[in-house]
Each structure stands twice: as C-alpha cells, then as structure tokens.
Coordinates of all heavy atoms in Angstrom, one line a residue:
M1 N 143.0 -1.5 224.2 CA 142.0 -1.0 225.2 C 141.4 0.3 224.7 O 142.1 1.2 224.1 CB 142.7 -0.7 226.5 CG 141.8 -0.3 227.6 SD 142.7 -0.4 229.2 CE 141.5 0.5 230.1
L2 N 140.2 0.5 224.9 CA 139.5 1.7 224.5 C 139.8 2.9 225.4 O 140.0 2.7 226.6 CB 138.0 1.5 224.5 CG 137.5 0.4 223.5 CD1 136.0 0.2 223.7 CD2 137.8 0.8 222.1
S3 N 139.9 4.1 224.8 CA 140.2 5.3 225.6 C 139.0 6.0 226.1 O 137.8 5.6 225.7 CB 141.0 6.2 224.7 OG 140.2 6.7 223.7
V4 N 139.2 7.0 226.9 CA 138.1 7.7 227.5 C 137.3 8.5 226.4 O 136.1 8.5 226.4 CB 138.7 8.8 228.5 CG1 137.5 9.6 229.1 CG2 139.4 8.1 229.6
E5 N 138.0 9.0 225.4 CA 137.4 9.8 224.4 C 136.4 8.9 223.6 O 135.4 9.4 223.1 CB 138.4 10.4 223.4 CG 139.3 11.5 224.1 CD 140.4 10.9 224.9 OE1 140.8 9.7 224.7 OE2 141.0 11.7 225.6
Q6 N 136.8 7.6 223.3 CA 135.9 6.7 222.6 C 134.6 6.4 223.3 O 133.5 6.4 222.8 CB 136.7 5.5 222.2 CG 137.8 5.7 221.2 CD 138.6 4.5 221.0 OE1 138.8 3.7 222.0 NE2 139.2 4.3 219.8
F7 N 134.8 6.2 224.7 CA 133.5 6.0 225.5 C 132.7 7.2 225.5 O 131.4 7.1 225.4 CB 133.9 5.6 226.9 CG 134.3 4.1 227.0 CD1 135.6 3.8 227.4 CD2 133.5 3.1 226.7 CE1 136.0 2.5 227.5 CE2 133.8 1.8 226.9 CZ 135.1 1.5 227.2
L8 N 133.3 8.4 225.7 CA 132.5 9.6 225.8 C 131.9 10.0 224.4 O 130.7 10.5 224.4 CB 133.4 10.8 226.3 CG 133.8 10.7 227.7 CD1 134.7 11.8 228.1 CD2 132.7 10.5 228.7
T9 N 132.6 9.7 223.3 CA 132.0 9.9 222.0 C 130.8 9.0 221.8 O 129.8 9.4 221.3 CB 133.1 9.6 220.9 OG1 134.2 10.5 221.2 CG2 132.5 9.9 219.5
L10 N 130.9 7.7 222.2 CA 129.8 6.8 222.1 C 128.6 7.3 222.9 O 127.5 7.3 222.4 CB 130.2 5.4 222.5 CG 129.1 4.3 222.6 CD1 128.6 4.0 221.2 CD2 129.6 3.1 223.3
G11 N 128.9 7.7 224.1 CA 127.8 8.2 224.9 C 127.1 9.4 224.3 O 125.9 9.6 224.3
A12 N 127.9 10.4 223.8 CA 127.4 11.6 223.1 C 126.5 11.2 221.9 O 125.5 11.8 221.7 CB 128.5 12.5 222.8
I13 N 127.0 10.3 221.1 CA 126.3 9.9 219.9 C 124.9 9.2 220.3 O 123.9 9.6 219.7 CB 127.1 9.0 219.0 CG1 128.3 9.7 218.4 CG2 126.3 8.3 217.9 CD1 129.3 8.9 217.7
L14 N 125.0 8.3 221.2 CA 123.7 7.7 221.7 C 122.8 8.7 222.3 O 121.5 8.6 222.0 CB 124.0 6.6 222.7 CG 124.7 5.3 222.2 CD1 125.0 4.4 223.4 CD2 123.8 4.7 221.2
F15 N 123.3 9.7 223.0 CA 122.4 10.7 223.6 C 121.8 11.6 222.5 O 120.6 11.9 222.6 CB 123.2 11.6 224.6 CG 122.3 12.5 225.4 CD1 121.7 12.0 226.6 CD2 122.1 13.8 225.0 CE1 120.9 12.8 227.3 CE2 121.3 14.6 225.8 CZ 120.7 14.1 226.9
C16 N 122.6 11.9 221.5 CA 122.0 12.7 220.4 C 121.0 12.0 219.6 O 119.9 12.6 219.2 CB 123.1 13.2 219.5 SG 124.2 14.4 220.3
I17 N 121.2 10.7 219.4 CA 120.2 9.9 218.7 C 118.9 9.8 219.5 O 117.8 9.9 219.0 CB 120.8 8.5 218.3 CG1 121.9 8.6 217.3 CG2 119.7 7.6 217.9 CD1 122.6 7.3 217.1
G18 N 119.0 9.6 220.8 CA 117.9 9.5 221.6 C 117.1 10.8 221.7 O 115.9 10.9 221.7
L19 N 117.9 12.0 221.8 CA 117.2 13.3 221.8 C 116.5 13.6 220.5 O 115.4 14.1 220.6 CB 118.3 14.3 222.1 CG 117.8 15.8 222.3 CD1 116.9 15.9 223.5 CD2 119.0 16.7 222.4
F20 N 117.1 13.2 219.4 CA 116.5 13.4 218.1 C 115.2 12.6 218.0 O 114.1 13.1 217.6 CB 117.4 13.0 217.0 CG 116.8 13.1 215.6 CD1 116.6 14.3 215.0 CD2 116.4 11.9 215.0 CE1 116.0 14.4 213.8 CE2 115.8 12.0 213.7 CZ 115.6 13.2 213.1
G21 N 115.2 11.3 218.5 CA 114.0 10.5 218.5 C 112.9 11.0 219.4 O 111.8 11.0 219.1
A22 N 113.3 11.5 220.6 CA 112.3 12.0 221.5 C 111.7 13.3 221.1 O 110.5 13.5 221.4 CB 113.0 12.2 222.9
L23 N 112.4 14.1 220.3 CA 111.8 15.4 219.9 C 111.1 15.4 218.6 O 110.3 16.2 218.3 CB 113.0 16.5 219.8 CG 113.6 16.8 221.1 CD1 114.7 17.8 220.9 CD2 112.6 17.4 222.1
T24 N 111.4 14.4 217.7 CA 110.8 14.4 216.4 C 109.8 13.3 216.1 O 109.0 13.5 215.2 CB 111.9 14.3 215.3 OG1 112.6 13.1 215.5 CG2 112.9 15.5 215.4
K25 N 109.8 12.3 216.8 CA 108.9 11.2 216.5 C 107.5 11.4 217.1 O 107.4 12.1 218.1 CB 109.5 9.8 217.0 CG 110.8 9.5 216.4 CD 110.7 9.4 214.9 CE 112.0 9.2 214.2 NZ 112.0 9.3 212.8
R26 N 106.5 10.8 216.5 CA 105.1 11.0 216.9 C 104.6 9.8 217.7 O 103.6 10.0 218.4 CB 104.2 11.2 215.7 CG 104.5 12.5 214.9 CD 103.6 12.6 213.8 NE 104.0 13.7 212.9 CZ 103.6 13.9 211.7 NH1 102.7 13.1 211.2 NH2 104.0 14.9 211.0
N27 N 105.2 8.7 217.5 CA 104.7 7.5 218.2 C 105.3 7.5 219.7 O 106.5 7.7 219.9 CB 105.2 6.2 217.5 CG 104.6 5.0 217.9 OD1 104.0 4.9 219.0 ND2 104.6 4.0 217.1
I28 N 104.4 7.2 220.6 CA 104.8 7.3 222.0 C 105.8 6.2 222.4 O 106.7 6.4 223.2 CB 103.5 7.2 222.9 CG1 102.6 8.4 222.7 CG2 103.9 7.1 224.4 CD1 101.3 8.3 223.5
I29 N 105.7 5.0 221.7 CA 106.6 4.0 222.0 C 108.0 4.3 221.6 O 109.0 4.1 222.3 CB 106.1 2.7 221.3 CG1 104.8 2.2 221.9 CG2 107.2 1.6 221.5 CD1 104.2 1.1 221.2
I30 N 108.1 5.0 220.4 CA 109.4 5.4 220.0 C 110.0 6.5 220.9 O 111.2 6.5 221.2 CB 109.3 5.9 218.5 CG1 108.8 4.9 217.6 CG2 110.7 6.4 218.0 CD1 109.6 3.6 217.5
V31 N 109.1 7.4 221.4 CA 109.6 8.4 222.3 C 110.1 7.7 223.6 O 111.2 8.1 224.1 CB 108.5 9.4 222.6 CG1 108.8 10.3 223.8 CG2 108.1 10.2 221.4
L32 N 109.4 6.7 224.1 CA 109.9 6.0 225.3 C 111.2 5.3 225.1 O 112.1 5.3 225.9 CB 108.8 5.0 225.8 CG 107.6 5.6 226.5 CD1 106.6 4.5 226.8 CD2 108.0 6.3 227.8
V33 N 111.4 4.7 223.9 CA 112.6 4.0 223.6 C 113.7 5.0 223.5 O 114.9 4.8 223.9 CB 112.5 3.2 222.3 CG1 113.8 2.7 221.8 CG2 111.5 2.0 222.6
S34 N 113.4 6.2 222.9 CA 114.5 7.2 222.8 C 114.9 7.8 224.2 O 116.1 8.0 224.4 CB 113.9 8.4 222.0 OG 113.6 8.0 220.7
I35 N 114.0 7.9 225.1 CA 114.3 8.3 226.4 C 115.2 7.2 227.1 O 116.2 7.6 227.8 CB 113.1 8.6 227.3 CG1 112.4 9.9 226.7 CG2 113.4 8.8 228.7 CD1 111.0 10.1 227.3
E36 N 114.9 6.0 226.9 CA 115.7 4.9 227.4 C 117.1 4.9 226.8 O 118.1 4.7 227.5 CB 115.1 3.6 227.2 CG 113.8 3.3 227.9 CD 114.0 3.2 229.4 OE1 115.0 2.7 229.9 OE2 113.1 3.7 230.2
L37 N 117.2 5.3 225.5 CA 118.5 5.4 224.9 C 119.3 6.5 225.5 O 120.6 6.4 225.7 CB 118.3 5.6 223.4 CG 119.6 5.5 222.5 CD1 120.2 4.1 222.6 CD2 119.2 5.8 221.1
M38 N 118.7 7.6 225.8 CA 119.4 8.7 226.5 C 119.9 8.4 227.8 O 121.0 8.7 228.2 CB 118.4 9.9 226.5 CG 118.2 10.6 225.2 SD 116.8 11.8 225.1 CE 117.2 12.8 226.4
L39 N 119.1 7.6 228.6 CA 119.5 7.2 229.9 C 120.7 6.2 229.8 O 121.6 6.2 230.7 CB 118.3 6.6 230.7 CG 117.2 7.5 231.2 CD1 116.1 6.8 231.7 CD2 117.8 8.5 232.2
N40 N 120.7 5.3 228.8 CA 121.8 4.4 228.7 C 123.1 5.2 228.3 O 124.2 4.8 228.7 CB 121.5 3.4 227.6 CG 120.5 2.3 228.2 OD1 120.6 2.0 229.4 ND2 119.7 1.8 227.3
A41 N 122.9 6.3 227.5 CA 124.1 7.1 227.2 C 124.7 7.7 228.5 O 125.9 7.8 228.6 CB 123.7 8.2 226.2
V42 N 123.8 8.2 229.3 CA 124.3 8.7 230.6 C 124.9 7.7 231.4 O 126.0 7.9 232.1 CB 123.1 9.4 231.4 CG1 123.4 9.7 232.8 CG2 122.5 10.6 230.6
N43 N 124.4 6.4 231.4 CA 125.1 5.3 232.1 C 126.5 5.1 231.6 O 127.4 4.8 232.4 CB 124.2 4.1 232.1 CG 123.0 4.2 232.9 OD1 122.9 4.9 233.9 ND2 122.0 3.4 232.6
I44 N 126.6 5.1 230.3 CA 128.0 4.9 229.7 C 128.9 6.0 230.2 O 130.1 5.7 230.6 CB 127.9 4.9 228.2 CG1 127.2 3.6 227.7 CG2 129.3 5.0 227.6 CD1 126.9 3.6 226.2
N45 N 128.5 7.2 230.3 CA 129.3 8.3 230.7 C 129.7 8.2 232.2 O 130.8 8.4 232.6 CB 128.7 9.7 230.5 CG 128.7 10.0 229.0 OD1 129.5 9.5 228.2 ND2 127.8 10.9 228.6
L46 N 128.7 7.8 233.0 CA 128.9 7.6 234.5 C 130.0 6.5 234.7 O 130.9 6.6 235.5 CB 127.6 7.2 235.2 CG 126.7 8.4 235.4 CD1 125.3 7.8 236.0 CD2 127.3 9.3 236.4
L47 N 129.8 5.4 234.0 CA 130.8 4.3 234.1 C 132.2 4.7 233.6 O 133.2 4.2 234.2 CB 130.3 3.0 233.4 CG 129.1 2.3 234.1 CD1 128.6 1.2 233.2 CD2 129.4 1.9 235.5
T48 N 132.2 5.5 232.6 CA 133.5 5.9 232.0 C 134.2 6.8 233.1 O 135.4 6.6 233.3 CB 133.3 6.7 230.7 OG1 132.7 5.9 229.8 CG2 134.6 7.2 230.2
F49 N 133.5 7.7 233.7 CA 134.2 8.5 234.7 C 134.5 7.8 235.9 O 135.4 8.1 236.7 CB 133.3 9.8 235.0 CG 133.3 10.8 233.9 CD1 132.2 11.2 233.2 CD2 134.5 11.3 233.4 CE1 132.2 12.1 232.2 CE2 134.6 12.3 232.4 CZ 133.4 12.7 231.8
A50 N 133.7 6.7 236.2 CA 134.0 5.9 237.4 C 135.3 5.1 237.2 O 136.0 4.8 238.1 CB 132.8 5.0 237.7
R51 N 135.5 4.7 235.9 CA 136.6 3.9 235.6 C 137.9 4.7 235.3 O 139.0 4.4 235.8 CB 136.3 3.0 234.4 CG 137.5 2.2 233.8 CD 137.9 1.1 234.8 NE 138.8 0.2 234.1 CZ 140.2 0.4 234.3 NH1 140.7 1.3 235.0 NH2 141.0 -0.5 233.7
F52 N 137.8 5.8 234.6 CA 138.9 6.5 234.1 C 139.1 7.9 234.8 O 139.9 8.7 234.4 CB 138.8 6.8 232.6 CG 138.9 5.5 231.8 CD1 137.8 5.0 231.1 CD2 140.1 4.8 231.7 CE1 137.8 3.9 230.4 CE2 140.1 3.6 230.9 CZ 139.0 3.2 230.3
G53 N 138.3 8.2 235.8 CA 138.4 9.5 236.5 C 139.7 9.7 237.2 O 140.6 8.8 237.3
L54 N 139.8 10.9 237.8 CA 141.0 11.1 238.6 C 141.2 10.2 239.8 O 142.3 9.8 240.1 CB 141.0 12.6 239.0 CG 141.1 13.6 237.9 CD1 141.0 15.0 238.5 CD2 142.4 13.5 237.2
M55 N 140.1 9.9 240.4 CA 140.1 9.0 241.6 C 139.0 7.9 241.3 O 137.9 8.1 241.7 CB 139.7 9.8 242.9 CG 140.8 10.8 243.2 SD 140.3 11.8 244.6 CE 139.7 10.7 245.8
P56 N 139.4 6.9 240.6 CA 138.4 5.8 240.3 C 137.8 5.2 241.5 O 138.5 4.9 242.5 CB 139.3 4.8 239.5 CG 140.5 5.5 239.1 CD 140.7 6.6 240.1
S57 N 136.5 5.2 241.5 CA 135.8 4.6 242.7 C 134.5 3.9 242.2 O 134.2 3.9 241.0 CB 135.4 5.8 243.6 OG 134.5 6.6 243.0
I58 N 133.8 3.4 243.1 CA 132.5 2.7 242.8 C 131.3 3.6 242.7 O 130.2 3.2 242.4 CB 132.4 1.6 243.8 CG1 131.4 0.5 243.3 CG2 131.9 2.1 245.2 CD1 131.4 -0.8 244.1
N59 N 131.5 4.9 243.0 CA 130.4 5.8 243.0 C 129.6 5.9 241.7 O 128.4 5.9 241.6 CB 130.8 7.2 243.4 CG 131.3 7.3 244.9 OD1 130.9 6.4 245.7 ND2 132.1 8.3 245.2
G60 N 130.4 5.9 240.6 CA 129.7 5.9 239.3 C 128.9 4.7 239.0 O 127.8 4.7 238.4
Q61 N 129.4 3.5 239.5 CA 128.6 2.3 239.3 C 127.4 2.3 240.1 O 126.3 1.8 239.7 CB 129.5 1.1 239.7 CG 130.7 1.0 238.7 CD 131.7 -0.1 239.2 OE1 131.4 -0.8 240.2 NE2 132.8 -0.3 238.5
I62 N 127.4 2.9 241.3 CA 126.2 3.0 242.2 C 125.2 3.9 241.5 O 124.0 3.6 241.5 CB 126.6 3.4 243.6 CG1 127.5 2.4 244.3 CG2 125.4 3.8 244.4 CD1 128.1 2.8 245.6
F63 N 125.7 5.0 241.0 CA 124.7 5.9 240.3 C 124.1 5.3 239.1 O 123.0 5.5 238.8 CB 125.4 7.2 240.0 CG 125.6 8.2 241.1 CD1 126.8 8.8 241.4 CD2 124.6 8.5 242.0 CE1 127.0 9.6 242.4 CE2 124.7 9.4 243.0 CZ 126.0 9.9 243.2
T64 N 124.9 4.5 238.4 CA 124.4 3.8 237.2 C 123.4 2.8 237.6 O 122.3 2.6 237.0 CB 125.6 3.1 236.5 OG1 126.5 4.1 236.1 CG2 125.1 2.3 235.3
L65 N 123.6 2.1 238.7 CA 122.5 1.1 239.2 C 121.2 1.9 239.6 O 120.2 1.4 239.2 CB 123.1 0.4 240.4 CG 122.3 -0.7 241.0 CD1 122.1 -1.8 239.9 CD2 122.9 -1.3 242.2
F66 N 121.4 3.0 240.2 CA 120.2 3.8 240.5 C 119.5 4.3 239.3 O 118.2 4.2 239.2 CB 120.5 5.0 241.4 CG 120.8 4.7 242.8 CD1 121.8 5.3 243.5 CD2 120.0 3.7 243.5 CE1 122.0 5.0 244.9 CE2 120.3 3.4 244.8 CZ 121.3 4.0 245.5
T67 N 120.2 4.7 238.3 CA 119.7 5.2 237.0 C 119.0 4.0 236.3 O 117.9 4.3 235.7 CB 120.8 5.8 236.1 OG1 121.5 6.7 236.8 CG2 120.2 6.4 234.9
M68 N 119.5 2.9 236.3 CA 118.9 1.7 235.7 C 117.6 1.4 236.4 O 116.6 1.0 235.7 CB 119.8 0.5 235.7 CG 121.0 0.7 234.7 SD 122.2 -0.6 234.9 CE 121.3 -2.1 234.5
T69 N 117.6 1.5 237.7 CA 116.3 1.2 238.5 C 115.3 2.2 238.2 O 114.1 1.9 237.9 CB 116.6 1.2 240.0 OG1 117.7 0.3 240.3 CG2 115.4 0.8 240.8
I70 N 115.6 3.5 238.1 CA 114.7 4.5 237.8 C 114.2 4.4 236.3 O 113.0 4.6 236.1 CB 115.3 5.9 238.0 CG1 115.5 6.1 239.5 CG2 114.5 7.0 237.4 CD1 116.3 7.3 239.8
A71 N 115.1 4.0 235.4 CA 114.7 3.8 234.0 C 113.7 2.6 233.9 O 112.7 2.7 233.1 CB 115.9 3.5 233.2
A72 N 113.9 1.6 234.7 CA 112.9 0.4 234.6 C 111.5 0.9 235.2 O 110.5 0.5 234.6 CB 113.5 -0.7 235.4
A73 N 111.5 1.6 236.3 CA 110.3 2.1 236.8 C 109.6 3.1 235.9 O 108.4 3.0 235.7 CB 110.5 2.8 238.2
E74 N 110.4 3.9 235.2 CA 109.8 4.9 234.3 C 109.2 4.2 233.1 O 108.1 4.6 232.6 CB 110.9 5.8 233.8 CG 110.5 6.8 232.7 CD 111.0 6.4 231.4 OE1 112.0 5.7 231.3 OE2 110.4 6.8 230.4
L75 N 109.9 3.1 232.6 CA 109.3 2.4 231.5 C 108.0 1.7 231.9 O 107.1 1.7 231.1 CB 110.3 1.4 231.0 CG 110.0 0.6 229.8 CD1 109.8 1.5 228.6 CD2 111.0 -0.5 229.5
A76 N 108.0 1.1 233.1 CA 106.7 0.4 233.5 C 105.6 1.4 233.6 O 104.5 1.1 233.2 CB 107.0 -0.3 234.8
V77 N 105.8 2.6 234.2 CA 104.8 3.6 234.3 C 104.4 4.2 233.0 O 103.2 4.3 232.7 CB 105.2 4.7 235.3 CG1 104.2 5.9 235.3 CG2 105.3 4.2 236.7
G78 N 105.4 4.4 232.1 CA 105.1 4.9 230.8 C 104.3 4.0 230.0 O 103.3 4.4 229.3
L79 N 104.6 2.7 230.0 CA 103.8 1.7 229.3 C 102.4 1.6 229.8 O 101.4 1.4 229.1 CB 104.5 0.3 229.3 CG 105.7 0.3 228.4 CD1 106.4 -1.1 228.5 CD2 105.3 0.5 226.9
A80 N 102.2 1.7 231.2 CA 100.9 1.6 231.8 C 100.0 2.8 231.3 O 98.9 2.7 230.9 CB 101.0 1.6 233.3
V81 N 100.7 4.0 231.3 CA 99.9 5.2 230.8 C 99.6 5.1 229.3 O 98.5 5.4 228.8 CB 100.8 6.5 231.1 CG1 100.2 7.7 230.4 CG2 100.9 6.7 232.6
L82 N 100.6 4.5 228.5 CA 100.4 4.3 227.1 C 99.2 3.4 226.8 O 98.3 3.7 226.0 CB 101.6 3.8 226.5 CG 101.5 3.3 225.0 CD1 101.2 4.5 224.1 CD2 102.7 2.6 224.6
I83 N 99.1 2.3 227.6 CA 98.0 1.4 227.4 C 96.7 2.0 227.7 O 95.7 1.8 227.0 CB 98.3 0.1 228.2 CG1 99.4 -0.7 227.6 CG2 97.0 -0.8 228.3 CD1 99.9 -1.9 228.5
S84 N 96.7 2.8 228.8 CA 95.4 3.5 229.2 C 95.0 4.5 228.2 O 93.8 4.6 227.8 CB 95.7 4.1 230.6 OG 94.6 4.9 230.9
L85 N 95.9 5.3 227.7 CA 95.6 6.3 226.6 C 95.2 5.6 225.3 O 94.3 6.1 224.7 CB 96.8 7.2 226.4 CG 97.1 8.2 227.5 CD1 98.3 9.0 227.2 CD2 95.9 9.2 227.7
Y86 N 95.8 4.5 225.0 CA 95.5 3.8 223.8 C 94.1 3.2 223.8 O 93.3 3.2 222.8 CB 96.5 2.7 223.4 CG 96.3 2.1 222.1 CD1 96.6 2.7 220.9 CD2 95.6 0.8 222.0 CE1 96.4 2.2 219.7 CE2 95.4 0.3 220.8 CZ 95.8 0.9 219.6 OH 95.5 0.4 218.4
R87 N 93.7 2.7 225.0 CA 92.3 2.2 225.1 C 91.3 3.3 225.0 O 90.2 3.0 224.5 CB 92.2 1.5 226.5 CG 92.9 0.2 226.6 CD 92.6 -0.5 227.9 NE 93.3 -1.8 228.0 CZ 93.5 -2.5 229.0 NH1 93.0 -2.0 230.2 NH2 94.1 -3.6 229.0
N88 N 91.6 4.5 225.5 CA 90.6 5.6 225.4 C 90.6 6.3 224.1 O 89.6 6.7 223.6 CB 90.9 6.6 226.5 CG 90.6 6.1 227.9 OD1 89.8 5.2 228.0 ND2 91.3 6.6 228.9
R89 N 91.8 6.4 223.4 CA 91.9 7.2 222.2 C 92.1 6.4 220.9 O 91.9 6.9 219.8 CB 93.0 8.2 222.3 CG 92.9 9.2 223.4 CD 91.9 10.2 223.0 NE 91.8 11.2 224.0 CZ 91.4 12.5 223.8 NH1 91.2 12.9 222.6 NH2 91.4 13.3 224.8
N90 N 92.4 5.1 221.1 CA 92.7 4.2 219.9 C 93.8 4.7 219.0 O 93.8 4.5 217.8 CB 91.4 3.9 219.1 CG 90.5 3.1 219.9 OD1 90.9 2.3 220.7 ND2 89.2 3.3 219.7
T91 N 94.8 5.4 219.5 CA 95.9 5.9 218.8 C 97.1 6.1 219.7 O 97.0 6.3 220.9 CB 95.6 7.3 218.1 OG1 96.8 7.6 217.3 CG2 95.3 8.4 219.1
S92 N 98.3 5.9 219.1 CA 99.5 6.1 219.9 C 100.3 7.3 219.4 O 101.5 7.5 219.6 CB 100.4 4.9 219.8 OG 100.8 4.7 218.5
D93 N 99.6 8.2 218.7 CA 100.3 9.5 218.2 C 100.4 10.5 219.3 O 99.4 10.7 220.0 CB 99.5 10.0 217.0 CG 100.2 11.1 216.3 OD1 101.3 11.5 216.7 OD2 99.7 11.6 215.3
V94 N 101.5 11.1 219.5 CA 101.8 12.0 220.6 C 100.9 13.2 220.4 O 100.3 13.7 221.4 CB 103.3 12.4 220.6 CG1 103.5 13.5 221.6 CG2 104.1 11.3 220.9
R95 N 100.6 13.7 219.2 CA 99.8 14.9 219.0 C 98.4 14.7 219.4 O 97.7 15.7 219.7 CB 100.0 15.4 217.6 CG 101.4 15.9 217.3 CD 101.5 16.4 215.9 NE 101.1 15.3 215.0 CZ 100.9 15.4 213.7 NH1 101.0 16.6 213.1 NH2 100.7 14.4 212.9
D96 N 97.9 13.5 219.3 CA 96.5 13.2 219.6 C 96.2 13.0 221.1 O 95.1 12.9 221.5 CB 96.0 12.0 218.9 CG 96.0 12.2 217.4 OD1 95.9 13.4 216.9 OD2 96.1 11.2 216.6
Q97 N 97.2 13.0 221.9 CA 97.1 12.7 223.3 C 96.9 14.1 224.1 O 97.8 14.5 224.8 CB 98.3 11.9 223.9 CG 98.5 10.6 223.1 CD 97.4 9.7 223.2 OE1 96.5 9.8 224.1 NE2 97.3 8.8 222.2
D98 N 95.8 14.7 223.9 CA 95.6 16.0 224.6 C 94.5 15.8 225.6 O 93.6 16.7 225.8 CB 95.2 17.1 223.6 CG 94.0 16.7 222.7 OD1 93.5 15.5 222.9 OD2 93.5 17.5 222.0
L99 N 94.5 14.7 226.3 CA 93.5 14.4 227.3 C 93.4 15.4 228.4 O 92.3 15.6 229.0 CB 93.7 13.0 227.8 CG 92.6 12.3 228.7 CD1 91.4 12.2 227.8 CD2 93.1 11.0 229.2
M100 N 94.5 16.0 228.8 CA 94.5 16.9 229.9 C 94.1 18.4 229.6 O 94.0 19.2 230.4 CB 95.9 17.0 230.5 CG 96.4 15.6 231.0 SD 95.7 15.2 232.6 CE 96.6 16.3 233.7
K101 N 93.9 18.6 228.3 CA 93.6 20.0 227.9 C 92.1 20.2 228.2 O 91.3 19.3 228.2 CB 93.8 20.2 226.4 CG 95.2 20.3 226.0 CD 95.3 20.6 224.5 CE 96.8 20.7 224.1 NZ 96.9 21.0 222.7
W102 N 91.8 21.5 228.4 CA 90.4 21.9 228.7 C 89.6 21.9 227.4 O 89.1 22.1 226.6 CB 90.3 23.2 229.4 CG 90.8 23.1 230.8 CD1 92.1 23.2 231.2 CD2 90.0 22.8 231.9 NE1 92.2 23.0 232.5 CE2 90.9 22.8 233.0 CE3 88.7 22.6 232.1 CZ2 90.5 22.5 234.3 CZ3 88.3 22.3 233.4 CH2 89.2 22.3 234.5

C-alpha cells in the first residue's frame, strides 16, 4: 500500500510541473493544460488528507468534486476566450494577447 508521503510527493511534483508550465510557456493551450495539472495535484492532496488524515471523512472527496467542477467550467471558459482571441489575432502566443491594453 502506498504511504501518505508518496501521495504528497506525487502531488507536489505535479504541482511544480504545472507551475513551471504556466509561468514559462508562451502557448495559451499549454498554459491552460498546466493550470489543469496544478488543480489535479491539489485534488490528489485533498484525497490524500481525506483518506489518511487524523479523522478520515468524506469532506476531502466533496471538495475534490467541487474542484473538478470548477476546473471543467474554467477549461470551457478558457477555450472559448482562446478561440475568440485566436480569431481576432491569428496567434495563440501569450505575449501577443494584449487586447485589453490601451
């Protein structure tokens, strides 16, 4: 059986990979995927503490379900904004998306 440390290490590694991708990549799709990876790392940690915590309960699973719902909504809105920006600018580079600047 896997231990708490192994689950938390996996969550930390996934979160760091997602943070690196969100901060360094220029493609908006890669940034959205990196944010999803970070949210999945948080879900792993929530489930770990729900299972192995001092008082195991279903609260971590409920929070994970809410996080997954929010992540799905965020992805849908993010892709809609991406498609709209791509139609106007013909690029998916993050640095070229300065539509809100004066």
Side-chain angles (χ1 to χ4, degrees):
M1 185 170 164
L2 296 174
S3 66
V4 177
E5 292 84 13
Q6 291 172 330
F7 282 116
L8 294 179
T9 303
L10 175 66
I13 290 171
L14 287 177
F15 191 85
C16 290
I17 292 171
L19 185 64
F20 177 77
L23 293 178
T24 60
K25 299 302 177 188
R26 297 180 188 168
N27 193 340
I28 295 178
I29 296 173
I30 302 299
V31 171
L32 286 174
V33 169
S34 298
I35 292 171
E36 292 295 323
L37 190 62
M38 290 167 50
L39 287 173
N40 285 328
V42 170
N43 286 339
I44 289 173
N45 288 336
L46 284 172
L47 290 176
T48 300
F49 287 121
R51 172 71 172 94
F52 295 109
L54 294 176
M55 296 173 45
S57 65
I58 197 164
N59 292 339
Q61 295 174 5
I62 292 171
F63 283 130
T64 300
L65 187 62
F66 285 141
T67 306
M68 290 171 60
T69 306
I70 290 170
E74 175 259 334
L75 184 64
V77 171
L79 285 176
V81 169
L82 172 66
I83 290 170
S84 174
L85 287 173
Y86 186 77
R87 284 182 181 170
N88 290 333
R89 298 286 181 150
N90 291 330
T91 182
S92 64
D93 193 355
V94 174
R95 293 181 300 169
D96 294 337
Q97 305 301 337
D98 58 354
L99 191 61
M100 300 282 288
K101 287 186 179 179
W102 288 89

